[in-house]
């Protein structure tokens, strides 16, 4: 985690929920939002991970609470929303980061059970989180919804076939929801990370051969960090991005993405 001092304070008085936020990209996002003054509710499926992340973030002087949440379970999603409202008085920002990938391989080799699990967590849960947070955002007369996709949503990886398709679906969800919610002063945007140095990307970043091959595709010649992702999400969550909606920002060090 980058410990450089963050001087921007764009999110003071706002409350953010970040799913799957006790490690990796989610934790980087949660930390940056809190560093910019937000009250942050973090979550994970395991209580011990929540406890450790909350302890570490509070030790930095940040306003953070946490709870367990399996995003595919309706009662867990409601628990997350109610905790944010009861503790901090409302919700202004939702970051849907939770994702799963139980299988590797080409898209049409994916077993139906794995396909269903990927889409239940990566797409359906994102849709339901956005749908169910609306009453809370409307109480604030607006807000921000940010989905976490992947550069694989633009350029599918053969080894991450079904996962890549699920991330493409989030690009469409972003655009469709942005159109619907514009009248309610709710901006909906998306982050598409490239290769970020986390446990999820360990296969690409740990061995020397894999690292060398991966870095050849990155003009900036380094992997991304959770802090890089957090900085972009903090911008999208702030008033500095008040005229941006329906967009996906690719944060991938210059990797081939789109025109």
């Amino acid at each position: 985690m980058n410990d450089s001092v963050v001087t921007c304070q764009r999110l003071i008085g706002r409350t953010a929920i970040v799913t799957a936020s006790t490690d990796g990209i989610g934790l980087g996002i949660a930390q940056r939002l809190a560093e910019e003054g937000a009250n942050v509710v973090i979550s994970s499926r395991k209580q011990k991970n929540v406890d450790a992340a909350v302890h570490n973030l509070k030790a930095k002087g940040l306003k953070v609470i946490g709870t367990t949440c399996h995003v595919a379970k309706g009662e867990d999603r409601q628990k997350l929303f109610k905790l944010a409202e009861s503790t901090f008085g409302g919700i202004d920002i939702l970051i849907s980061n939770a994702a799963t990938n139980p299988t590797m391989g080409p898209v049409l080799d994916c077993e139906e059970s794995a396909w269903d699990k990927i889409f239940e967590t990566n797409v359906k849960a994102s849709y339901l989180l956005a749908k169910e947070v609306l009453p809370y955002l409307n109480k604030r007369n607006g807000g921000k919804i940010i989905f976490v996709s992947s550069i694989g949503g633009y350029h599918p990886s053969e080894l991450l076939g079904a996962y890549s398709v699920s991330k493409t679906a989030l690009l469409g969800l972003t655009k469709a929801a942005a159109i619907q919610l514009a009248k309610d002063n709710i901006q909906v945007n998306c982050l598409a990370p490239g290769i970020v140095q986390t446990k999820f990307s360990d296969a690409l970043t740990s061995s020397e051969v894999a690292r060398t091959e991966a870095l050849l595709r990155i003009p900036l010649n380094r992997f991304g960090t959770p802090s890089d992702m957090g900085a972009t999400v903090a911008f999208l969550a702030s008033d500095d991005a008040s005229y941006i909606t329906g967009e996906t920002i690719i944060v991938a060090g210059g990797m081939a993405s789109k025109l």
Side-chain angles (χ1 to χ4, degrees):
M1 212 41 95
N2 188 344
D3 291 324
S4 61
V5 176
V6 174
T7 57
C8 293
Q9 293 288 291
R10 296 174 290 188
L11 303 175
I12 291 174
R14 298 183 191 180
T15 296
I17 288 175
V18 188
T19 64
S21 47
T22 60
D23 193 13
I25 290 174
L27 180 58
I29 291 170
Q31 178 169 324
R32 179 57 183 256
L33 298 184
E35 286 172 341
E36 293 217 19
N39 307 310
V40 180
V41 182
I42 66 172
S43 66
S44 170
R45 293 174 62 174
K46 296 181 179 179
Q47 186 66 53
K48 66 177 183 178
N49 294 343
V50 173
D51 293 342
V54 168
H55 174 79
N56 291 337
L57 292 173
K58 281 188 172 181
K60 299 176 186 290
L62 303 176
K63 295 180 183 177
V64 177
I65 59 172
T67 185
T68 55
C69 180
H70 186 320
V71 294
K73 295 181 178 180
E75 61 270 25
D76 280 14
R77 296 192 300 270
Q78 288 303 317
K79 178 177 66 173
L80 198 57
F81 298 146
K82 289 174 182 176
L83 177 63
E85 185 173 54
S86 64
T87 306
F88 297 125
I91 302 170
D92 304 282
I93 302 159
L94 169 69
I95 315 296
S96 180
N97 174 63
T100 190
N101 184 52
T103 188
M104 303 283 282
V107 62
L108 298 182
D109 290 352
C110 182
E111 295 292 335
E112 183 177 357
S113 59
W115 178 275
D116 288 344
K117 184 173 183 179
I118 289 168
F119 274 78
E120 179 183 50
T121 301
N122 300 6
V123 183
K124 184 178 179 181
S126 290
Y127 148 74
L128 289 172
L129 281 162
K131 181 184 180 73
E132 293 163 2
V133 81
L134 290 182
Y136 298 91
L137 298 184
N138 286 332
K139 286 181 184 178
R140 303 287 232 194
N141 298 313
K144 308 278 188 171
I145 297 174
I146 300 166
F147 299 113
V148 178
S149 178
S150 166
I151 196 167
Y154 289 98
H155 286 275
S157 162
E158 187 172 23
L159 287 177
L160 299 173
Y163 174 86
S164 297
V165 176
S166 75
K167 292 300 187 175
T168 303
L170 291 179
L171 309 182
L173 178 59
T174 297
K175 288 191 174 294
I179 292 170
Q180 178 182 353
L181 299 179
K183 66 183 185 302
D184 299 318
N185 190 34
I186 297 171
Q187 289 88 55
V188 184
N189 290 294
C190 188
L191 171 75
I195 303 174
V196 181
Q197 195 130 15
T198 63
K199 291 178 183 177
F200 183 83
S201 65
D202 191 58
L204 288 174
T205 61
S206 58
S207 80
E208 192 60 36
V209 173
R211 285 178 61 87
T212 300
E213 180 65 26
L215 287 170
L216 287 174
R217 298 156 49 201
I218 305 173
L220 287 183
N221 197 40
R222 72 170 177 88
F223 298 120
T225 67
S227 297
D228 292 325
M229 306 305 121
T232 299
V233 171
F235 162 68
L236 289 173
S238 76
D239 288 342
D240 287 342
S242 63
Y243 198 55
I244 299 174
T245 196
E247 300 295 344
T248 297
I249 296 184
I250 298 167
V251 184
M255 290 178 70
S257 53
K258 60 180 181 177
L259 291 177

